[in-house]
Amino acid sequence: MAHYNKGANAERELIHSLHAQGFAVLRVAGSGVSPLPSPDVVALKHGKILAFECKAWKGKYLAIPVETFNDEVNWAETAGADFFVAWKVPHKGWLFVSAKHFHNAGKNFMISLDDARKHSANLLVIEGLQSTIQQ
Amino acid sequence: MAHYNKGANAERELIHSLHAQGFAVLRVAGSGVSPLPSPDVVALKHGKILAFECKAWKGKYLAIPVETFNDEVNWAETAGADFFVAWKVPHKGWLFVSAKHFHNAGKNFMISLDDARKHSANLLVIEGLQSTIQQ
């Protein structure tokens, strides 16, 4: 339950951040309820579509089951959305990583924390509020 | 509970219909869970965004609370979405009505079944699959 709440809190934090930047934001109904695989959070602004798989995870590697990962990537492609895995590293902050930076490790798509740090996009850049990444 | 299930079934029916037409579809998490007012169902395809408030209702008038209605219209405007009230008339079928056809009756935005029938858009037209309404 603690783990669930941590994830839910991270999701809420991401939603409020996107909302504060003027996006229309959706939290998607749980996969147990909806039959259609899709990302956790979707943010929209004047036709720009961002889709996020949201993970709160303290560890050296992040793993996402292959089927989930592929479903979400396909969903985003159909929608015309930019897809990111939003990795909240507890007490550190957020990393936003495109699907292309994950590697298929059989059962899961994976990325190391080091690689995620290297490839993470700035949320302000993702949101189109900033054209280059601040150093 | 029977009423809730009727609404949930209608929502599921709409979701499957949109999914069958190749849309990436979202069922939005309940308003009790999410702090941000938004439509019930959102369907996306290659950047086209459709947002629906879904109602299963057997009666001569459909009423939607003013605050809910305004929140959803604003949400759709921010998102860049086309917004429709999807009215399932039990044992009759679906009506898809734009916000502009509702009138503000004080506590609610309302439309009569007759007006809804007159102004209803064809789902295939909404989806961009057909350019004119079939007679």
mmCIF file of all heavy atoms in Angstrom, chain B residues 87-117:
data_model
loop_
_atom_site.group_PDB
_atom_site.id
_atom_site.type_symbol
_atom_site.label_atom_id
_atom_site.label_comp_id
_atom_site.label_asym_id
_atom_site.label_seq_id
_atom_site.Cartn_x
_atom_site.Cartn_y
_atom_site.Cartn_z
ATOM 1 N N TRP B 87 -25.029 11.279 -25.754
ATOM 2 C CA TRP B 87 -26.268 10.902 -25.056
ATOM 3 C C TRP B 87 -26.752 9.567 -25.598
ATOM 4 O O TRP B 87 -27.177 9.479 -26.742
ATOM 5 C CB TRP B 87 -27.311 11.992 -25.264
ATOM 6 C CG TRP B 87 -28.632 11.793 -24.573
ATOM 7 C CD1 TRP B 87 -29.026 10.727 -23.800
ATOM 8 C CD2 TRP B 87 -29.747 12.692 -24.579
ATOM 9 N NE1 TRP B 87 -30.296 10.919 -23.330
ATOM 10 C CE2 TRP B 87 -30.776 12.119 -23.790
ATOM 11 C CE3 TRP B 87 -29.980 13.938 -25.176
ATOM 12 C CZ2 TRP B 87 -32.003 12.730 -23.590
ATOM 13 C CZ3 TRP B 87 -31.212 14.551 -24.980
ATOM 14 C CH2 TRP B 87 -32.203 13.953 -24.192
ATOM 15 N N LYS B 88 -26.671 8.564 -24.736
ATOM 16 C CA LYS B 88 -27.222 7.255 -25.109
ATOM 17 C C LYS B 88 -28.676 7.204 -24.666
ATOM 18 O O LYS B 88 -28.967 7.250 -23.467
ATOM 19 C CB LYS B 88 -26.411 6.150 -24.416
ATOM 20 C CG LYS B 88 -27.059 4.766 -24.442
ATOM 21 C CD LYS B 88 -26.592 3.920 -25.612
ATOM 22 C CE LYS B 88 -27.363 2.629 -25.746
ATOM 23 N NZ LYS B 88 -26.645 1.457 -25.261
ATOM 24 N N VAL B 89 -29.576 7.121 -25.625
ATOM 25 C CA VAL B 89 -30.996 6.979 -25.318
ATOM 26 C C VAL B 89 -31.290 5.477 -25.299
ATOM 27 O O VAL B 89 -31.189 4.817 -26.339
ATOM 28 C CB VAL B 89 -31.872 7.689 -26.375
ATOM 29 C CG1 VAL B 89 -33.339 7.625 -25.967
ATOM 30 C CG2 VAL B 89 -31.426 9.136 -26.569
ATOM 31 N N PRO B 90 -31.581 4.927 -24.115
ATOM 32 C CA PRO B 90 -31.713 3.468 -23.998
ATOM 33 C C PRO B 90 -32.664 2.876 -25.044
ATOM 34 O O PRO B 90 -33.749 3.416 -25.272
ATOM 35 C CB PRO B 90 -32.253 3.277 -22.571
ATOM 36 C CG PRO B 90 -31.760 4.482 -21.824
ATOM 37 C CD PRO B 90 -31.803 5.613 -22.829
ATOM 38 N N HIS B 91 -32.240 1.819 -25.661
ATOM 39 C CA HIS B 91 -32.990 1.100 -26.698
ATOM 40 C C HIS B 91 -33.217 1.916 -27.977
ATOM 41 O O HIS B 91 -33.975 1.486 -28.848
ATOM 42 C CB HIS B 91 -34.345 0.603 -26.172
ATOM 43 C CG HIS B 91 -34.224 -0.108 -24.855
ATOM 44 N ND1 HIS B 91 -33.462 -1.245 -24.690
ATOM 45 C CD2 HIS B 91 -34.720 0.184 -23.623
ATOM 46 C CE1 HIS B 91 -33.511 -1.633 -23.424
ATOM 47 N NE2 HIS B 91 -34.268 -0.772 -22.759
ATOM 48 N N LYS B 92 -32.602 3.090 -28.073
ATOM 49 C CA LYS B 92 -32.771 3.911 -29.283
ATOM 50 C C LYS B 92 -31.434 4.107 -29.993
ATOM 51 O O LYS B 92 -31.342 3.972 -31.208
ATOM 52 C CB LYS B 92 -33.350 5.291 -28.927
ATOM 53 C CG LYS B 92 -34.698 5.257 -28.252
ATOM 54 C CD LYS B 92 -35.829 5.076 -29.249
ATOM 55 C CE LYS B 92 -37.181 5.165 -28.541
ATOM 56 N NZ LYS B 92 -38.306 4.898 -29.429
ATOM 57 N N GLY B 93 -30.431 4.501 -29.223
ATOM 58 C CA GLY B 93 -29.131 4.738 -29.839
ATOM 59 C C GLY B 93 -28.465 5.980 -29.283
ATOM 60 O O GLY B 93 -28.861 6.495 -28.233
ATOM 61 N N TRP B 94 -27.479 6.466 -30.012
ATOM 62 C CA TRP B 94 -26.627 7.551 -29.539
ATOM 63 C C TRP B 94 -26.919 8.870 -30.252
ATOM 64 O O TRP B 94 -27.150 8.893 -31.451
ATOM 65 C CB TRP B 94 -25.155 7.203 -29.813
ATOM 66 C CG TRP B 94 -24.607 6.142 -28.924
ATOM 67 C CD1 TRP B 94 -24.622 4.800 -29.166
ATOM 68 C CD2 TRP B 94 -23.947 6.327 -27.678
ATOM 69 N NE1 TRP B 94 -24.012 4.138 -28.137
ATOM 70 C CE2 TRP B 94 -23.591 5.054 -27.211
ATOM 71 C CE3 TRP B 94 -23.631 7.451 -26.909
ATOM 72 C CZ2 TRP B 94 -22.920 4.875 -26.002
ATOM 73 C CZ3 TRP B 94 -22.959 7.254 -25.712
ATOM 74 C CH2 TRP B 94 -22.620 5.982 -25.264
ATOM 75 N N LEU B 95 -26.812 9.954 -29.473
ATOM 76 C CA LEU B 95 -26.840 11.304 -30.039
ATOM 77 C C LEU B 95 -25.543 11.997 -29.623
ATOM 78 O O LEU B 95 -25.127 11.871 -28.468
ATOM 79 C CB LEU B 95 -28.053 12.080 -29.518
ATOM 80 C CG LEU B 95 -29.421 11.462 -29.839
ATOM 81 C CD1 LEU B 95 -30.522 12.148 -29.031
ATOM 82 C CD2 LEU B 95 -29.713 11.554 -31.332
ATOM 83 N N PHE B 96 -24.917 12.702 -30.553
ATOM 84 C CA PHE B 96 -23.668 13.416 -30.272
ATOM 85 C C PHE B 96 -23.906 14.901 -30.505
ATOM 86 O O PHE B 96 -24.102 15.330 -31.642
ATOM 87 C CB PHE B 96 -22.542 12.892 -31.158
ATOM 88 C CG PHE B 96 -22.219 11.452 -30.879
ATOM 89 C CD1 PHE B 96 -22.793 10.433 -31.628
ATOM 90 C CD2 PHE B 96 -21.380 11.122 -29.834
ATOM 91 C CE1 PHE B 96 -22.519 9.097 -31.347
ATOM 92 C CE2 PHE B 96 -21.095 9.788 -29.541
ATOM 93 C CZ PHE B 96 -21.677 8.772 -30.307
ATOM 94 N N VAL B 97 -23.905 15.652 -29.402
ATOM 95 C CA VAL B 97 -24.347 17.042 -29.476
ATOM 96 C C VAL B 97 -23.240 17.985 -29.010
ATOM 97 O O VAL B 97 -22.672 17.813 -27.927
ATOM 98 C CB VAL B 97 -25.615 17.253 -28.612
ATOM 99 C CG1 VAL B 97 -26.189 18.641 -28.854
ATOM 100 C CG2 VAL B 97 -26.658 16.175 -28.892
ATOM 101 N N SER B 98 -22.942 18.990 -29.827
ATOM 102 C CA SER B 98 -21.959 20.013 -29.467
ATOM 103 C C SER B 98 -22.492 20.895 -28.345
ATOM 104 O O SER B 98 -23.709 21.072 -28.205
ATOM 105 C CB SER B 98 -21.661 20.915 -30.671
ATOM 106 O OG SER B 98 -20.951 20.208 -31.639
ATOM 107 N N ALA B 99 -21.562 21.485 -27.593
ATOM 108 C CA ALA B 99 -21.925 22.339 -26.460
ATOM 109 C C ALA B 99 -22.829 23.504 -26.886
ATOM 110 O O ALA B 99 -23.728 23.902 -26.147
ATOM 111 C CB ALA B 99 -20.661 22.859 -25.793
ATOM 112 N N LYS B 100 -22.592 24.022 -28.083
ATOM 113 C CA LYS B 100 -23.319 25.220 -28.517
ATOM 114 C C LYS B 100 -24.826 24.997 -28.623
ATOM 115 O O LYS B 100 -25.591 25.966 -28.638
ATOM 116 C CB LYS B 100 -22.766 25.722 -29.854
ATOM 117 C CG LYS B 100 -23.000 24.760 -31.005
ATOM 118 C CD LYS B 100 -22.400 25.270 -32.313
ATOM 119 C CE LYS B 100 -22.583 24.229 -33.418
ATOM 120 N NZ LYS B 100 -21.759 24.481 -34.583
ATOM 121 N N HIS B 101 -25.267 23.755 -28.702
ATOM 122 C CA HIS B 101 -26.696 23.483 -28.837
ATOM 123 C C HIS B 101 -27.421 23.403 -27.485
ATOM 124 O O HIS B 101 -28.654 23.282 -27.444
ATOM 125 C CB HIS B 101 -26.922 22.191 -29.632
ATOM 126 C CG HIS B 101 -26.395 22.268 -31.033
ATOM 127 N ND1 HIS B 101 -26.804 23.225 -31.928
ATOM 128 C CD2 HIS B 101 -25.465 21.522 -31.682
ATOM 129 C CE1 HIS B 101 -26.154 23.064 -33.076
ATOM 130 N NE2 HIS B 101 -25.334 22.042 -32.946
ATOM 131 N N PHE B 102 -26.677 23.438 -26.389
ATOM 132 C CA PHE B 102 -27.291 23.441 -25.054
ATOM 133 C C PHE B 102 -27.628 24.876 -24.655
ATOM 134 O O PHE B 102 -26.964 25.816 -25.088
ATOM 135 C CB PHE B 102 -26.319 22.843 -24.034
ATOM 136 C CG PHE B 102 -26.243 21.340 -24.086
ATOM 137 C CD1 PHE B 102 -25.605 20.697 -25.146
ATOM 138 C CD2 PHE B 102 -26.809 20.568 -23.075
ATOM 139 C CE1 PHE B 102 -25.534 19.305 -25.192
ATOM 140 C CE2 PHE B 102 -26.739 19.185 -23.115
ATOM 141 C CZ PHE B 102 -26.102 18.558 -24.178
ATOM 142 N N HIS B 103 -28.640 25.043 -23.813
ATOM 143 C CA HIS B 103 -28.914 26.385 -23.286
ATOM 144 C C HIS B 103 -28.775 26.397 -21.768
ATOM 145 O O HIS B 103 -29.060 25.406 -21.082
ATOM 146 C CB HIS B 103 -30.283 26.901 -23.735
ATOM 147 C CG HIS B 103 -31.433 26.101 -23.228
ATOM 148 N ND1 HIS B 103 -31.912 24.991 -23.880
ATOM 149 C CD2 HIS B 103 -32.198 26.249 -22.119
ATOM 150 C CE1 HIS B 103 -32.925 24.491 -23.205
ATOM 151 N NE2 HIS B 103 -33.118 25.225 -22.120
ATOM 152 N N ASN B 104 -28.327 27.523 -21.274
ATOM 153 C CA ASN B 104 -28.092 27.690 -19.846
ATOM 154 C C ASN B 104 -29.424 27.949 -19.142
ATOM 155 O O ASN B 104 -30.065 28.970 -19.368
ATOM 156 C CB ASN B 104 -27.124 28.858 -19.630
ATOM 157 C CG ASN B 104 -26.675 28.972 -18.185
ATOM 158 O OD1 ASN B 104 -27.382 28.540 -17.272
ATOM 159 N ND2 ASN B 104 -25.496 29.542 -17.976
ATOM 160 N N ALA B 105 -29.843 26.998 -18.299
ATOM 161 C CA ALA B 105 -31.133 27.125 -17.614
ATOM 162 C C ALA B 105 -30.927 27.430 -16.132
ATOM 163 O O ALA B 105 -31.742 27.046 -15.295
ATOM 164 C CB ALA B 105 -31.934 25.840 -17.800
ATOM 165 N N GLY B 106 -29.833 28.092 -15.795
ATOM 166 C CA GLY B 106 -29.596 28.482 -14.410
ATOM 167 C C GLY B 106 -28.644 27.525 -13.719
ATOM 168 O O GLY B 106 -27.439 27.724 -13.725
ATOM 169 N N LYS B 107 -29.193 26.446 -13.156
ATOM 170 C CA LYS B 107 -28.326 25.461 -12.489
ATOM 171 C C LYS B 107 -27.691 24.489 -13.471
ATOM 172 O O LYS B 107 -26.669 23.883 -13.203
ATOM 173 C CB LYS B 107 -29.128 24.658 -11.460
ATOM 174 C CG LYS B 107 -29.440 25.415 -10.183
ATOM 175 C CD LYS B 107 -30.066 24.467 -9.161
ATOM 176 C CE LYS B 107 -30.368 25.216 -7.869
ATOM 177 N NZ LYS B 107 -31.188 24.428 -6.944
ATOM 178 N N ASN B 108 -28.374 24.300 -14.605
ATOM 179 C CA ASN B 108 -27.921 23.317 -15.578
ATOM 180 C C ASN B 108 -27.876 23.872 -16.992
ATOM 181 O O ASN B 108 -28.630 24.792 -17.325
ATOM 182 C CB ASN B 108 -28.897 22.121 -15.608
ATOM 183 C CG ASN B 108 -28.920 21.349 -14.313
ATOM 184 O OD1 ASN B 108 -27.932 20.718 -13.947
ATOM 185 N ND2 ASN B 108 -30.035 21.408 -13.607
ATOM 186 N N PHE B 109 -27.008 23.272 -17.792
ATOM 187 C CA PHE B 109 -27.148 23.410 -19.239
ATOM 188 C C PHE B 109 -28.073 22.288 -19.688
ATOM 189 O O PHE B 109 -27.938 21.148 -19.250
ATOM 190 C CB PHE B 109 -25.787 23.292 -19.939
ATOM 191 C CG PHE B 109 -25.055 24.593 -20.004
ATOM 192 C CD1 PHE B 109 -24.173 24.953 -18.987
ATOM 193 C CD2 PHE B 109 -25.239 25.468 -21.050
ATOM 194 C CE1 PHE B 109 -23.503 26.164 -19.037
ATOM 195 C CE2 PHE B 109 -24.568 26.671 -21.113
ATOM 196 C CZ PHE B 109 -23.701 27.028 -20.107
ATOM 197 N N MET B 110 -29.027 22.624 -20.550
ATOM 198 C CA MET B 110 -30.041 21.646 -20.924
ATOM 199 C C MET B 110 -30.247 21.581 -22.438
ATOM 200 O O MET B 110 -29.965 22.530 -23.173
ATOM 201 C CB MET B 110 -31.376 22.005 -20.270
ATOM 202 C CG MET B 110 -31.300 21.996 -18.763
ATOM 203 S SD MET B 110 -32.930 22.041 -17.987
ATOM 204 C CE MET B 110 -33.537 20.393 -18.358
ATOM 205 N N ILE B 111 -30.779 20.432 -22.839
ATOM 206 C CA ILE B 111 -31.236 20.282 -24.220
ATOM 207 C C ILE B 111 -32.402 19.301 -24.218
ATOM 208 O O ILE B 111 -32.441 18.370 -23.389
ATOM 209 C CB ILE B 111 -30.095 19.806 -25.159
ATOM 210 C CG1 ILE B 111 -30.503 19.971 -26.634
ATOM 211 C CG2 ILE B 111 -29.691 18.367 -24.855
ATOM 212 C CD1 ILE B 111 -29.338 19.851 -27.610
ATOM 213 N N SER B 112 -33.370 19.532 -25.095
ATOM 214 C CA SER B 112 -34.493 18.597 -25.216
ATOM 215 C C SER B 112 -34.077 17.455 -26.140
ATOM 216 O O SER B 112 -33.163 17.592 -26.959
ATOM 217 C CB SER B 112 -35.718 19.307 -25.787
ATOM 218 O OG SER B 112 -35.479 19.653 -27.144
ATOM 219 N N LEU B 113 -34.767 16.343 -25.986
ATOM 220 C CA LEU B 113 -34.493 15.191 -26.847
ATOM 221 C C LEU B 113 -34.725 15.562 -28.308
ATOM 222 O O LEU B 113 -33.939 15.176 -29.188
ATOM 223 C CB LEU B 113 -35.385 14.009 -26.428
ATOM 224 C CG LEU B 113 -35.220 12.696 -27.187
ATOM 225 C CD1 LEU B 113 -33.787 12.184 -27.112
ATOM 226 C CD2 LEU B 113 -36.178 11.634 -26.650
ATOM 227 N N ASP B 114 -35.781 16.334 -28.566
ATOM 228 C CA ASP B 114 -36.073 16.759 -29.939
ATOM 229 C C ASP B 114 -34.921 17.582 -30.530
ATOM 230 O O ASP B 114 -34.495 17.339 -31.666
ATOM 231 C CB ASP B 114 -37.358 17.601 -29.984
ATOM 232 C CG ASP B 114 -38.606 16.721 -29.881
ATOM 233 O OD1 ASP B 114 -38.466 15.483 -29.985
ATOM 234 O OD2 ASP B 114 -39.706 17.269 -29.681
ATOM 235 N N ASP B 115 -34.442 18.563 -29.750
ATOM 236 C CA ASP B 115 -33.323 19.383 -30.232
ATOM 237 C C ASP B 115 -32.054 18.556 -30.394
ATOM 238 O O ASP B 115 -31.279 18.760 -31.332
ATOM 239 C CB ASP B 115 -33.058 20.552 -29.267
ATOM 240 C CG ASP B 115 -34.032 21.701 -29.509
ATOM 241 O OD1 ASP B 115 -34.780 21.645 -30.505
ATOM 242 O OD2 ASP B 115 -34.044 22.649 -28.700
ATOM 243 N N ALA B 116 -31.843 17.653 -29.468
ATOM 244 C CA ALA B 116 -30.651 16.806 -29.549
ATOM 245 C C ALA B 116 -30.691 15.962 -30.826
ATOM 246 O O ALA B 116 -29.693 15.812 -31.521
ATOM 247 C CB ALA B 116 -30.537 15.919 -28.311
ATOM 248 N N ARG B 117 -31.894 15.440 -31.133
ATOM 249 C CA ARG B 117 -32.050 14.652 -32.365
ATOM 250 C C ARG B 117 -31.752 15.509 -33.589
ATOM 251 O O ARG B 117 -31.093 15.073 -34.529
ATOM 252 C CB ARG B 117 -33.483 14.121 -32.471
ATOM 253 C CG ARG B 117 -33.726 12.855 -31.697
ATOM 254 C CD ARG B 117 -34.898 12.065 -32.343
ATOM 255 N NE ARG B 117 -35.117 10.812 -31.626
ATOM 256 C CZ ARG B 117 -36.121 10.605 -30.779
ATOM 257 N NH1 ARG B 117 -37.008 11.553 -30.534
ATOM 258 N NH2 ARG B 117 -36.245 9.432 -30.176
#
